[in-house]
Amino acid sequence: MLYTSLFTFLVCFWSSFVNAVYRDEAFKVDWQVSTIGEYRCVLKDYSAENQLIILSDFSESETLISYVNKTSGDVLLRYSVPYKITDAMIDSESQQLVLKLNDNLVSIDLNAGLPVTNETNGITHDSDFTFQSSCAVPDVKIDSKNGKQTLKIVDKTMGLPVFDIELPESFTEVKYLSTDHSQNLRFIVGNEDSQYVYFNYTNGGQNLTSTWEKDESLIDIVDSTFCDLKDSTIDAIRSEMVEEKEIDDIFNAYIYRVKKNFNRVKNYLQQNEYSPGRVFTSLLKENELMGTKNEELTYKRDLRFGLAKLLIVATRTGKVAALHISQGVKTMWSINTGIEDVVAIDYNSHKDQLVIIGNDGSFKVYNSINEHMPPSLIKDKKFNLSSNIEKISQIIDDVFFLSLSDKSKKIVSVNESVSSKANGYFVTDHDEKSINGYMVSSDNELVSTWSVDLNDEEKIVAFSARTEDPVVNVGNVLGNRTVLYKYLYPNLVSYAVVNEIDNTLYINLIDTITGELMYSQKHGQDEKVDINSPINLVFGENWFVYSYFASVPIPEQRLTVVELYESLVANEKKSNSSENYNPLKGNIKRPEAISKSYYFPQVIQDLKLTSTKFSITSKAIIIKLVNEQITFIPKFVLNARSKEESKMSDDDKKEFMASPYIAGIPINDNFIISHQRELIMGDDSKIVSTATNLESTSIVCEIGNDIFCSRIYPSGQFDVMSPSFEKIQLFGTIFIVMVIVYYLRPMVANKRLRSLWLIKD
């Protein structure tokens, strides 16, 4: 009894100090590159002494108005207006920004950011109003001294030079200049690479009080790819293993291994100054995973967990830049490829090669991709094409499928010849009016196999192929321990078709090998689908989710999930894993489907699925809203088999992650991964996701006008301990339990022996 009481007390004492909680990681593991673009006009904000107003092109018909901190260059506020400006003027008295649109003028209230339509308030309606450009830079004199360009400002009265400032070597033009022609001078200069530098001089140009630089070249990103950074220590170990393998004598190889390990232990002890306390502490006390002060250890841990990656982006003008995922907005390197109108970029991890492809078929291949220096050019060639590239997709490794502007199709490779691995590969291509299937022949030519042509009033608005992620389990286990077997046929695509005459939406599922229609779902006049609103589609393991906006019975955003099974009867499996199926012989059975619709409170702009290493983590549907916020919904929330609570049986409630059907899905603030950030993405932005070595963690990036990246955990951080986790208490508890069990074991054995001999205690 004494030992039992002691055991209970110690366990309660130690365990009360063991905490396994996670911190709020908002603004710690995510980052944003706020891009303004090419400066069309820079204005002084008279309402705030420390602010500048910068006007830039947001799209072909929109202008972006940005408020920038004059001292630091930080973007304070941005919003777009539906006008393409030719000039601008700022009125300090009325606090209005007047935009000139060819021959028309529009007033913008700088405080509210809204057009001024009231004739009594708009200064452009005053009879004595005269438009005077605020964008024009005062006449400045650029001289050359000792091979360097200088900016000269002269006194207006005496004509004597007041400022003589040396300009950056890459200087091309002055974008903004403000001076009192005496003591103070502020100006912004730019170069051809969209780099802008701000200077603030006082005391007649003697003191440079503040300066900042902004890179606005990443404004028109067309494609991106991820590159996992490599741990240099692994290369050292690999070289040691190669050396050891070359040793013929097994005894000498053993001695070689012992020496290497001894040197590692010796170096480790030297790092800890041969102190047993330091060694013991370093073994037990881990640094925080997210945002430690020890940058070296944090970086090593990021490498180990696959969090250290490069996001490599390519702009349409041919610039390629690498941003470090785990180090915020830091640009590691950038190169100008010289390729105009880039259409695709791809990183081959097996060959450590980066491929950039241009619209005219020109391509360049770089190798030695790392975070320390720009990659090396190893190939600069051009595909033999009949016309420009309209669309490109990767088949395998370095083999690409091209759709050309003259409607022809072609298979190309960045190597000398197309890999034989592409032989027999089926490719699916689509545009707004048709879907076509092709097969790569033995001589690497494309052979048309099937096509689906739409009517004149129809068009394809969304298209998604099934993900190629690993399959963790082949069925869903129900509450009564029976199984619904998933439909896991891999060659499937789903696409959405709208009829522009009767506003009908069709969701179709087809076989990419034969073009056979496997499933179809219609949303007709009874819902009044708004075909002008975004329609999105994503395809997971045995399910796909699509979104659309309907007007009946009430205007609302809808999310529909369709799940595919071999049979809706439990334990009925129609496929045989030992049998080979050939879709060309027509022995592929159609799936049995079940669907469910949900309501969402905001209009959805785009959908994307998360990616994890082994696909054990529940998939999450990343949702981009029309207000530029980004949120996500775990897949188990969208359950096609969910029932209303009153209709759920006891077995239904026992099912894993079972929850009653609730039509409305609220926006959970905890799931908004963009937090309070102001994101400006544009209509052509893309959501991308990549896996890490932590199965619980997926990296998600939104790439458009801005670049935003974050980490999400669809099933929680089940493989990550909290930095505050009390490891010493845990190990102490385990040790005490082992000691108590060691002493209790003879007592238990003695009690069992007494009971066998019927001896009373």
Side-chain angles (χ1 to χ4, degrees):
M1 187 67 184
L2 176 62
Y3 288 110
T4 305
S5 301
L6 179 61
F7 168 74
T8 305
F9 169 76
L10 289 174
V11 169
C12 293
F13 175 78
W14 284 97
S15 61
S16 63
F17 292 95
V18 177
N19 300 313
V21 296
Y22 303 112
R23 299 175 306 160
D24 181 10
E25 295 176 345
F27 302 100
K28 296 178 182 177
V29 299
D30 61 348
W31 50 268
Q32 173 188 1
V33 177
S34 299
T35 309
I36 296 176
E38 183 180 353
Y39 295 2
R40 291 284 305 278
C41 178
V42 182
L43 309 168
K44 181 179 180 181
D45 187 359
Y46 292 97
S47 63
E49 179 64 27
N50 204 35
Q51 284 184 184
L52 293 174
I53 300 176
I54 301 177
L55 307 182
S56 58
D57 293 336
F58 183 60
S59 66
E60 294 182 357
S61 59
E62 293 177 289
T63 296
L64 185 65
I65 301 177
S66 306
Y67 294 75
V68 175
N69 185 295
K70 194 184 298 183
T71 303
S72 62
D74 296 335
V75 178
L76 305 175
L77 175 67
R78 292 174 300 165
Y79 58 88
S80 61
V81 291
Y83 312 113
K84 185 74 170 181
I85 70 164
T86 57
D87 205 344
M89 167 188 173
I90 192 166
D91 185 78
S92 58
E93 294 183 2
S94 62
Q95 295 298 309
Q96 291 182 18
L97 174 65
V98 181
L99 303 180
K100 187 175 184 180
L101 326 171
N102 296 323
D103 296 330
N104 298 323
L105 298 176
V106 177
S107 297
I108 303 292
D109 188 328
L110 292 175
N111 297 318
L114 299 173
V116 180
T117 57
N118 191 329
E119 294 186 2
T120 60
N121 294 330
I123 61 173
T124 58
H125 297 283
D126 295 342
S127 58
D128 58 346
F129 173 78
T130 302
F131 181 87
Q132 295 180 345
S133 175
S134 300
C135 295
V137 179
D139 292 335
V140 295
K141 185 177 181 181
I142 307 297
D143 283 348
S144 179
K145 183 196 307 181
N146 299 327
K148 296 182 179 180
Q149 292 180 312
T150 60
L151 172 67
K152 285 192 174 183
I153 304 295
V154 297
D155 181 78
K156 290 184 177 181
T157 304
M158 304 296 295
L160 299 176
V162 179
F163 296 96
D164 190 359
I165 307 298
E166 183 178 317
L167 296 172
E169 294 182 1
S170 57
F171 159 80
T172 56
E173 60 179 328
V174 177
K175 288 291 185 179
Y176 168 78
L177 189 144
S178 175
T179 180
D180 59 3
H181 293 85
S182 176
Q183 295 296 316
N184 302 312
L185 171 64
R186 302 180 182 92
F187 65 96
I188 296 177
V189 296
N191 62 17
E192 294 179 352
D193 294 330
S194 298
Q195 307 279 342
Y196 297 93
V197 186
Y198 172 83
F199 297 96
N200 182 14
Y201 285 94
T202 59
N203 193 22
Q206 301 300 316
N207 297 328
L208 178 60
T209 58
S210 63
T211 181
W212 46 263
E213 182 177 354
K214 290 185 68 66
D215 182 3
E216 302 291 350
S217 59
L218 302 180
I219 189 62
D220 192 10
I221 297 174
V222 294
D223 202 6
S224 63
T225 186
F226 290 96
C227 169
D228 288 312
L229 297 178
K230 303 171 184 64
D231 190 350
S232 58
T233 59
I234 296 179
D235 295 333
I237 295 174
R238 186 182 292 111
S239 63
E240 290 179 7
M241 294 178 66
V242 171
E243 293 180 15
E244 181 182 331
K245 189 176 181 180
E246 294 176 351
I247 301 176
D248 297 331
D249 188 356
I250 188 172
F251 179 76
N252 291 333
Y254 177 75
I255 296 298
Y256 175 84
R257 173 71 63 85
V258 171
K259 287 182 178 179
K260 290 295 182 182
N261 290 337
F262 176 79
N263 289 332
R264 286 194 182 90
V265 174
K266 181 181 177 181
N267 293 334
Y268 183 75
L269 293 175
Q270 287 179 346
Q271 292 175 0
N272 291 278
E273 300 178 358
Y274 299 98
S275 171
R278 287 178 178 269
V279 173
F280 183 73
T281 302
S282 64
L283 291 174
L284 293 181
K285 185 178 180 181
E286 293 286 342
N287 287 280
E288 298 178 358
L289 176 59
M290 307 299 180
T292 63
K293 295 182 179 180
N294 192 323
E295 295 183 359
E296 181 180 355
L297 294 178
T298 303
Y299 182 67
K300 289 182 178 179
R301 177 169 287 188
D302 287 344
L303 286 172
R304 188 194 324 160
F305 290 141
L307 301 173
K309 298 175 182 286
L310 290 180
L311 172 62
I312 305 177
V313 296
T315 66
R316 195 173 302 279
T317 56
K319 180 173 181 177
V320 176
L323 295 91
H324 204 298
I325 290 291
S326 61
Q327 294 184 9
V329 298
K330 187 176 182 180
T331 300
M332 308 309 295
W333 49 260
S334 63
I335 54 175
N336 287 313
T337 63
I339 299 178
E340 295 183 0
D341 203 0
V342 173
V343 294
I345 180 173
D346 177 69
Y347 173 69
N348 189 326
S349 59
H350 302 293
K351 298 181 179 180
D352 190 29
Q353 291 182 352
L354 181 67
V355 181
I356 298 97
I357 302 176
N359 173 266
D360 61 350
S362 58
F363 68 91
K364 292 185 178 182
V365 181
Y366 296 82
N367 68 353
S368 302
I369 313 300
N370 58 68
E371 73 272 37
H372 302 298
M373 61 184 67
S376 303
L377 178 65
I378 61 173
K379 188 176 295 186
D380 182 1
K381 292 190 175 182
K382 186 176 182 179
F383 301 129
N384 184 18
L385 305 178
S386 58
S387 61
N388 289 339
I389 300 173
E390 199 169 68
K391 190 166 60 174
I392 182 171
S393 60
Q394 187 177 22
I395 298 181
I396 50 172
D397 295 335
D398 49 10
V399 180
F400 297 87
F401 170 79
L402 306 181
S403 295
L404 305 180
S405 57
D406 61 1
K407 305 304 179 183
S408 62
K409 318 294 179 183
K410 191 167 185 177
I411 293 289
V412 297
S413 174
V414 296
N415 287 328
E416 299 302 327
S417 60
V418 179
S419 171
S420 59
K421 294 180 181 179
N423 296 342
Y425 202 93
F426 287 86
V427 183
T428 304
D429 183 42
H430 77 282
D431 54 29
E432 283 191 351
K433 291 296 182 180
S434 65
I435 305 177
N436 300 279
Y438 303 90
M439 186 186 72
V440 182
S441 64
S442 57
D443 56 353
N444 294 322
E445 294 294 329
L446 283 170
V447 178
S448 179
T449 55
W450 57 268
S451 66
V452 175
D453 297 320
L454 275 60
N455 298 327
D456 293 339
E457 68 275 9
E458 296 178 333
K459 68 176 181 179
I460 297 174
V461 292
F463 187 92
S464 179
R466 181 183 179 273
T467 59
E468 299 179 357
D469 295 335
V471 176
V472 178
N473 55 68
V474 297
N476 290 340
V477 180
L478 306 182
N480 58 4
R481 314 314 297 168
T482 58
V483 177
L484 276 182
Y485 288 99
K486 301 176 182 177
Y487 189 80
L488 298 175
Y489 180 58
N491 305 310
L492 295 173
V493 296
S494 183
Y495 63 97
V497 177
V498 296
N499 187 307
E500 297 178 302
I501 302 298
D502 58 10
N503 291 358
T504 303
L505 171 65
Y506 297 90
I507 305 296
N508 297 328
L509 179 72
I510 62 171
D511 185 340
T512 59
I513 306 298
T514 63
E516 178 185 1
L517 181 65
M518 308 292 281
Y519 173 80
S520 182
Q521 189 158 295
K522 176 184 176 182
H523 300 275
Q525 291 290 338
D526 56 334
E527 295 185 70
K528 290 189 178 180
V529 177
D530 184 359
I531 63 174
N532 296 317
S533 294
I535 297 174
N536 307 283
L537 177 66
V538 289
F539 200 155
E541 189 178 55
N542 70 311
W543 48 267
F544 54 89
V545 174
Y546 59 95
S547 65
Y548 62 97
F549 194 87
S551 301
V552 175
I554 59 174
E556 58 196 358
Q557 177 70 55
R558 298 185 185 177
L559 273 170
T560 300
V561 56
V562 179
E563 296 181 358
L564 309 174
Y565 296 94
E566 293 192 12
S567 173
L568 296 180
V569 178
N571 289 339
E572 183 177 344
K573 185 175 175 62
K574 295 183 179 180
S575 63
N576 187 350
S577 58
S578 61
E579 183 179 350
N580 292 325
Y581 291 89
N582 187 346
L584 298 177
K585 295 181 179 180
N587 59 353
I588 301 297
K589 297 179 175 60
R590 294 188 180 186
E592 294 189 25
I594 184 172
S595 67
K596 191 79 70 176
S597 289
Y598 296 83
Y599 307 138
F600 199 72
Q602 291 282 346
V603 178
I604 296 174
Q605 182 73 28
D606 195 12
L607 297 177
K608 182 70 177 180
L609 295 181
T610 56
S611 176
T612 56
K613 190 171 185 178
F614 302 108
S615 292
I616 298 173
T617 300
S618 175
K619 287 286 185 183
I621 295 92
I622 308 298
I623 300 176
K624 176 190 172 185
L625 306 176
V626 292
N627 63 0
E628 305 287 3
Q629 289 293 326
I630 303 173
T631 182
F632 74 94
I633 300 175
K635 166 57 182 68
F636 58 78
V637 174
L638 301 175
N639 187 355
R641 295 184 300 103
S642 62
K643 303 176 183 178
E644 295 179 6
E645 189 171 9
S646 60
K647 298 179 181 179
M648 293 180 68
S649 64
D650 291 338
D651 287 338
D652 292 333
K653 296 176 181 179
K654 293 178 183 177
E655 187 175 338
F656 177 71
M657 301 301 292
S659 60
Y661 172 68
I662 300 176
I665 299 179
I667 295 181
N668 191 326
D669 291 343
N670 296 326
F671 287 176
I672 297 180
I673 61 178
S674 54
H675 313 301
Q676 296 178 349
R677 293 185 181 274
E678 178 201 11
L679 303 181
I680 296 183
M681 292 300 175
D683 295 335
D684 297 329
S685 64
K686 298 178 182 178
I687 305 175
V688 293
S689 176
T690 186
T692 66
N693 293 339
L694 294 171
E695 173 59 25
S696 68
T697 305
S698 178
I699 293 175
V700 175
C701 294
E702 172 81 1
I703 302 173
N705 188 85
D706 291 355
I707 303 176
F708 169 76
C709 288
S710 184
R711 304 172 192 167
I712 68 169
Y713 320 96
S715 299
Q717 292 177 292
F718 56 82
D719 53 0
V720 177
M721 282 188 178
S722 167
S724 60
F725 189 84
E726 303 292 351
K727 305 170 193 63
I728 297 178
Q729 284 86 336
L730 176 63
F731 293 149
T733 302
I734 295 173
F735 175 75
I736 292 174
V737 170
M738 292 175 61
V739 171
I740 292 176
V741 170
Y742 177 79
Y743 282 104
L744 288 178
R745 185 175 181 182
M747 296 175 59
V748 175
N750 187 30
K751 186 174 182 179
R752 287 180 178 176
L753 181 62
R754 286 174 175 271
S755 64
L756 289 174
W757 286 96
L758 303 177
I759 299 175
K760 295 182 179 180
D761 292 334

